Amino acid sequence: MSTIQQVAKAAGVSVATVSRVINHSDKVVDETRERVERAIQELNYSPNMMGRNLRRNATEIIMVLLPSISNPFYSQTVNGITAVARSNGFTVMVCNTLSDRKLEQDFLNLLKFKLVDGAILMSQEMDDSELEELGRLYPVVQCSEYIDAAGVPYVTIDNASAAYEAVSHLASLGHTRIGMISSKVNYYSAAQRQAGYLQALQDAGLEFESELIKFGDYGYGSGMKCAEQFMRMQNKPTAVFAISDPMAIGALKAFRQKGLKIPDDIAVVGFDNIRFSKMCEPELTTIAQPTYKMGCRTMELLLERLEHKQDLPEKVIMDYELIIRGSTVAGS
Amino acid sequence: MSTIQQVAKAAGVSVATVSRVINHSDKVVDETRERVERAIQELNYSPNMMGRNLRRNATEIIMVLLPSISNPFYSQTVNGITAVARSNGFTVMVCNTLSDRKLEQDFLNLLKFKLVDGAILMSQEMDDSELEELGRLYPVVQCSEYIDAAGVPYVTIDNASAAYEAVSHLASLGHTRIGMISSKVNYYSAAQRQAGYLQALQDAGLEFESELIKFGDYGYGSGMKCAEQFMRMQNKPTAVFAISDPMAIGALKAFRQKGLKIPDDIAVVGFDNIRFSKMCEPELTTIAQPTYKMGCRTMELLLERLEHKQDLPEKVIMDYELIIRGSTVAGS
DNA sequence: ATATTATGTGTAATCGATTACATTAAGGGG
DNA sequence: CCCCTTAATGTAATCGATTACACATAATAT
C-alpha cells in the first residue's frame, strides 16, 4: 500500500499538491495534475481513510442496528436507507445485534469512537435513559421499533391503530373469540399492538381474558407453539392476530396440521407483509408497512441530524395498510 | 468528545501514561492508574478509533458482502461468522451489494482504504482477474458462492454432487421427465448444479433437452414464472429441481394454483433449507447446507489470513444433506 | 557507600492524510 | 523598469492515538 508521500516523491511535488489533486481542488495546473495522476496510477495508490478521517473527523459511513437479518421484514427498509444514503455519499453497513445487549454496545462504541458517523436503530436492548443519552451525544434515529420518551427522532406507523384495524376486520367477519400472539420481549410496538387489540375487542363488544394472549419471539417456531396452546384451550378462539408474519405463518401451519380449515375453522392475521405471506397456504391477511419509504425517510432524518439542520426530535408517522387475503376471507 | 490530552492534563500525567492505562499495560503504579481512571470517568472519555487505528493500522472490523439480506439463506452463515469473529475480538458488518457492481466496488474500497481489516464474499459481481487481484492484495475469503480460479480461499459444499443427489432422488421415485430452475446470472454454483443435474439425468438413462431448464433470479416470483413456463410445455415435466428454496416455493405455489397435486402430479426439490421450507404446503424437499458451520469455518480462514499464518489458498468442502419432505414423497 | 538494575513516567516521533499560511514566479499597470 | 496582484506550489502544523527511548528514582548487589 502506498502513501501520499510516495506519490508526492514519484511525481516530484509536495504532498499538499497530491492532496489537492485527489480532492479536486482547482488550484493545480494541468501539467502538474497529470504528473500526479500518473504517479497515482503507477503506485496503485488510494488514500488511507484513517488518515483522512482523523483529519476530517468523519467517515461517511452509517450503521443500521437490527436484531437479526433473518427477519425478512428488515431488508426492504435497509434498501430504502441505502438508496438515500448512497445518493448523499454515505455507505451503509448492517449490524446484527442478535438482541444481545453487549453486542449492541460494541456496535454503538463504533459511534463513540468515531468509526461511523451515525446510526439507525431498528430495535434496541438499552433502556430509556441510555437511549436518551445516546441520542443527545450522537446522530441517531429510530425506525419502526422505537422508544418515544427518549427524545430521539423516529419513523414508524401507528401500531395501535394498525392492530385495531386488523382485529376489527376479524370482528366484522363475525368472530367473537379472537386470540393474539404477541411478543415475550416487551417492545413498545408490541405493547401498542396489544392496546389496539384490546380497544378493538372492547369497541366490538367482545370479552377479553388474559388466556387469549400468547407470547412468542417473532419466529415461525414460536407461532406454532402459540397455536398449539390455543388449541389446547377449552374455549378456543376462532381467529388469531399475530404481531409478526412468521408467527402467523407458523400458527397457520400448526392449525392446518391439526386438521383445522383456514379461514372457516380459524382465521389468522399477521403483521409486516413479508414476501412469504403470499406463498403460504392460504395466503396471509396482514398489515403492510411502507418499509422502503420508511427507510428513505429515516435516512433523511439522519442526514438532517448529521448536518445539524434539525435539533428537534422529529416524529414521523407513516401509513400502513390492511391487506386482506385467504387466511381470513376464503378466495381473496 | 474529549481527547487523551485532556485526560492527561486532568489527571496530571502524560498522554503516554493515559495510553498505558487504557491498554492495560502493567507498568503503571496503582495510585496513578486510579487518578487516570477517575479523569477518564469524569471526562466521559473513550479513545478515538481513528487515531488508534491510524497508528495500529488495523480496525478489527471485517465485512461480509452479500447480494441481499432478504435472502434468508445468508442469516445463519452470518451468525456463524459473527460468533467466531467476536470471540477473536472482531466486529462484523454486513454489506448489501444488491448485486450492483458499483456498490460492491464502493464497499471493497473500504478494504483498500483500510477502514476494515478483511472481507468475506458471499457473492461477487467482479470477474476472475479482479477477484484474483483483490485476493492477492487483501485478506479476503469466499463463502458458499465462489470462483475457484482466483486463488482466493473458499468454504463451500460440492454443488454438483448435491444437485446430482437431488435429481437422482427424483429419478429414483420414477420421474422420467425432470425440469430444472436455474439462475439467469451465471454463478459458478449454478453451473455446477446444472452439471450435477445433467449427470444425474444421464446416469438414470433419462433424456435431456434444453427446454427443461428455465432461468430465474433466486426469488419467489421468478420461481412462479418458471413453473408457468413448464406448464405451458407440450411435454411437461413431472418433477422440478430448483437451485433456491424461494424459487422452489414459488413454483410449488404456481403449480398448486393451477390445480396440480404435489407430489403426485409434480414433485419439487429446492436448495438451501431455509426456515420457510418447512412452513409451506406441502413441506419442501431440499438440500441443507451447514450454514452456521460454514460461516464459522470461513471466519477461521479469514483469521489465518489476517495473521499471515496461511498463504496457501485453502479450499474447504463441507457436507450437505438431502432432506426429504412432502414435496417429493407424500406424507414425509 | 557505590555501582547496578528495575520500575514508573515523560518526551517526542510516528501513522497518513488535510489545510492555513508562506513562498515563489508570472503577469499587469504605471 | 519596478511594484503589486494573482496563481501555483511548498512548508509545516494538525487530527488523536501508540510506543521507542530517555530519564529519574528506588531497590538491590557488591
Side-chain angles (χ1 to χ4, degrees):
Chain A
M1 201 75 257
S2 42
T3 72
I4 199 171
Q5 278 82 4
Q6 294 169 8
V7 173
K9 191 188 292 179
V13 297
S14 74
V15 294
T17 302
V18 177
S19 177
R20 288 185 189 108
V21 171
I22 300 169
N23 297 290
H24 306 105
S25 156
D26 37 18
K27 300 242 178 177
V28 181
V29 86
D30 283 356
E31 191 252 322
T32 316
R33 174 188 307 283
E34 274 165 31
R35 212 142 33 90
V36 171
E37 277 167 354
R38 219 172 316 122
I40 288 176
Q41 285 288 325
E42 275 164 20
L43 292 172
N44 188 28
Y45 165 79
S46 35
N48 179 315
M49 284 294 175
M50 230 102 251
R52 169 177 292 179
N53 294 335
L54 175 58
R55 192 61 223 253
R56 290 197 180 155
N57 204 25
T59 61
E60 263 135 29
I61 295 178
I62 71 115
M63 65 180 178
V64 179
L65 264 65
L66 38 80
S68 166
I69 61 172
S70 75
N71 186 333
F73 165 68
Y74 296 113
S75 66
Q76 279 292 100
T77 313
V78 171
N79 288 348
I81 292 170
T82 304
V84 174
R86 279 203 90 198
S87 63
N88 286 275
F90 283 83
T91 298
V92 176
M93 301 185 102
V94 176
C95 306
N96 223 316
T97 66
L98 304 175
S99 295
D100 175 322
R101 206 187 163 98
K102 176 72 170 53
L103 191 44
E104 179 181 83
Q105 259 312 314
D106 287 354
F107 282 120
L108 290 173
N109 279 340
L110 301 181
L111 243 193
K112 299 192 184 164
F113 297 162
K114 307 286 230 156
L115 255 166
V116 303
D117 288 352
I120 290 174
L121 307 182
M122 299 203 59
S123 90
Q124 67 287 316
E125 301 303 314
M126 71 200 103
D127 60 40
D128 296 28
S129 69
E130 289 172 301
L131 179 61
E132 192 276 330
E133 184 187 343
L134 191 73
R136 200 157 26 77
L137 298 175
Y138 310 100
V140 173
V141 180
Q142 304 176 91
C143 180
S144 170
E145 192 56 59
Y146 69 104
I147 294 178
D148 193 8
V152 176
Y154 56 80
V155 176
T156 186
I157 59 163
D158 185 335
N159 283 289
S161 140
Y164 182 92
E165 193 165 320
V167 176
S168 298
H169 165 64
L170 291 171
S172 76
L173 293 170
H175 293 281
T176 55
R177 200 155 168 82
I178 303 175
M180 173 171 186
I181 302 179
S182 184
S183 160
K184 263 185 279 217
V185 187
N186 191 30
Y187 289 128
Y188 195 49
S189 64
Q192 287 182 305
R193 292 174 196 176
Q194 272 179 235
Y197 160 81
L198 290 173
Q199 187 65 47
L201 289 193
Q202 193 178 320
D203 289 4
L206 302 178
E207 64 184 27
F208 169 73
E209 47 168 318
S210 63
E211 253 209 323
L212 280 173
I213 305 195
K214 307 294 182 199
F215 300 92
D217 63 7
Y218 292 89
Y220 299 107
S222 72
M224 294 186 74
K225 281 196 195 118
C226 292
E228 282 153 16
Q229 291 172 32
F230 280 129
M231 288 186 292
R232 278 198 299 273
M233 284 169 66
Q234 68 295 13
N235 191 4
K236 301 177 182 57
T238 62
V240 169
F241 164 56
I243 65 166
S244 86
D245 278 357
M247 290 198 293
I249 291 167
L252 269 187
K253 179 82 184 173
F255 289 139
R256 287 171 57 99
Q257 277 181 347
K258 292 281 180 178
L260 297 181
K261 293 259 176 262
I262 317 278
D264 299 330
D265 295 336
I266 190 152
V268 176
V269 180
F271 209 111
D272 284 347
N273 191 32
I274 65 174
R275 294 219 182 87
F276 286 122
S277 66
K278 280 193 69 171
M279 291 294 141
C280 57
E281 190 63 31
E283 296 182 8
L284 186 66
T285 294
T286 189
I287 299 281
Q289 303 191 44
T291 45
Y292 187 85
K293 279 191 194 161
M294 286 168 71
C296 295
R297 197 76 192 81
T298 305
M299 188 63 212
E300 284 163 11
L301 290 192
L302 185 58
L303 286 171
E304 287 175 11
R305 287 261 143 167
L306 287 167
E307 294 161 10
H308 305 104
K309 264 189 200 154
Q310 184 71 49
D311 275 332
L312 317 163
E314 276 207 62
K315 303 170 186 201
V316 179
I317 311 291
M318 304 197 69
D319 291 332
Y320 58 86
E321 186 189 357
L322 175 67
I323 298 182
I324 295 171
R325 300 206 189 100
S327 72
T328 59
V329 178
S332 344
Chain B
M1 201 76 261
S2 42
T3 71
I4 199 171
Q5 278 82 2
Q6 294 168 4
V7 173
K9 192 189 292 180
V13 298
S14 74
V15 293
T17 301
V18 177
S19 178
R20 286 184 191 111
V21 171
I22 299 167
N23 296 289
H24 305 105
S25 156
D26 37 18
K27 300 241 179 177
V28 182
V29 87
D30 283 355
E31 191 252 322
T32 316
R33 172 185 309 280
E34 273 166 30
R35 212 141 34 91
V36 172
E37 276 166 354
R38 219 173 312 125
I40 289 177
Q41 285 287 324
E42 274 164 21
L43 293 171
N44 188 27
Y45 165 80
S46 36
N48 180 317
M49 284 294 175
M50 231 99 251
R52 168 178 295 180
N53 294 336
L54 175 58
R55 192 59 225 256
R56 290 199 181 153
N57 203 27
T59 62
E60 263 135 28
I61 295 178
I62 72 115
M63 65 181 181
V64 179
L65 264 66
L66 38 81
S68 166
I69 61 172
S70 75
N71 185 332
F73 165 68
Y74 297 114
S75 66
Q76 279 291 100
T77 314
V78 171
N79 288 349
I81 292 170
T82 304
V84 173
R86 278 203 91 199
S87 63
N88 285 274
F90 283 83
T91 299
V92 176
M93 300 186 102
V94 177
C95 305
N96 224 315
T97 67
L98 303 174
S99 295
D100 176 322
R101 206 187 163 96
K102 175 75 169 53
L103 191 45
E104 179 181 82
Q105 260 310 316
D106 287 355
F107 282 120
L108 290 174
N109 279 341
L110 300 181
L111 242 194
K112 299 191 184 166
F113 297 163
K114 306 287 229 157
L115 254 165
V116 303
D117 288 352
I120 290 173
L121 307 181
M122 298 203 62
S123 90
Q124 67 286 318
E125 301 303 313
M126 72 200 102
D127 60 38
D128 296 26
S129 70
E130 289 172 302
L131 180 61
E132 193 276 330
E133 184 187 344
L134 191 74
R136 201 158 24 77
L137 298 175
Y138 310 100
V140 172
V141 180
Q142 304 176 93
C143 180
S144 171
E145 192 55 61
Y146 69 104
I147 295 178
D148 193 9
V152 177
Y154 55 79
V155 175
T156 186
I157 59 163
D158 185 334
N159 282 288
S161 142
Y164 182 92
E165 193 165 320
V167 176
S168 298
H169 165 64
L170 291 171
S172 76
L173 293 170
H175 294 281
T176 55
R177 200 157 168 79
I178 302 174
M180 174 171 184
I181 302 180
S182 184
S183 160
K184 266 186 278 224
V185 187
N186 192 28
Y187 288 127
Y188 194 50
S189 65
Q192 287 182 306
R193 291 174 197 176
Q194 272 180 235
Y197 160 81
L198 291 173
Q199 188 65 47
L201 289 192
Q202 194 179 321
D203 288 3
L206 302 178
E207 64 183 27
F208 169 73
E209 49 168 317
S210 63
E211 254 209 322
L212 280 172
I213 303 194
K214 308 293 182 201
F215 300 91
D217 63 6
Y218 292 88
Y220 305 105
S222 72
M224 295 185 75
K225 280 193 195 120
C226 292
E228 282 153 15
Q229 291 173 33
F230 280 129
M231 287 186 291
R232 279 197 299 273
M233 284 169 64
Q234 67 297 12
N235 191 4
K236 300 177 181 57
T238 62
V240 170
F241 164 57
I243 66 167
S244 85
D245 278 357
M247 290 198 292
I249 291 166
L252 268 187
K253 180 83 183 173
F255 289 139
R256 288 171 56 100
Q257 276 180 348
K258 293 279 180 179
L260 297 181
K261 293 262 175 263
I262 318 276
D264 299 330
D265 295 334
I266 189 153
V268 176
V269 180
F271 210 111
D272 283 348
N273 192 32
I274 65 175
R275 292 219 182 88
F276 192 68
S277 66
K278 280 194 70 171
M279 292 294 140
C280 57
E281 189 64 29
E283 296 183 8
L284 186 66
T285 293
T286 189
I287 299 282
Q289 303 191 42
T291 46
Y292 187 86
K293 278 191 195 162
M294 286 168 72
C296 295
R297 198 75 191 83
T298 306
M299 187 63 212
E300 284 163 9
L301 290 192
L302 184 59
L303 287 171
E304 287 175 11
R305 286 262 144 167
L306 287 167
E307 294 161 10
H308 305 104
K309 265 190 202 158
Q310 184 73 48
D311 276 328
L312 318 162
E314 274 207 62
K315 304 172 185 197
V316 179
I317 312 290
M318 304 197 68
D319 291 330
Y320 59 85
E321 187 188 357
L322 174 66
I323 298 182
I324 296 170
R325 301 206 188 100
S327 72
T328 58
V329 178
S332 344

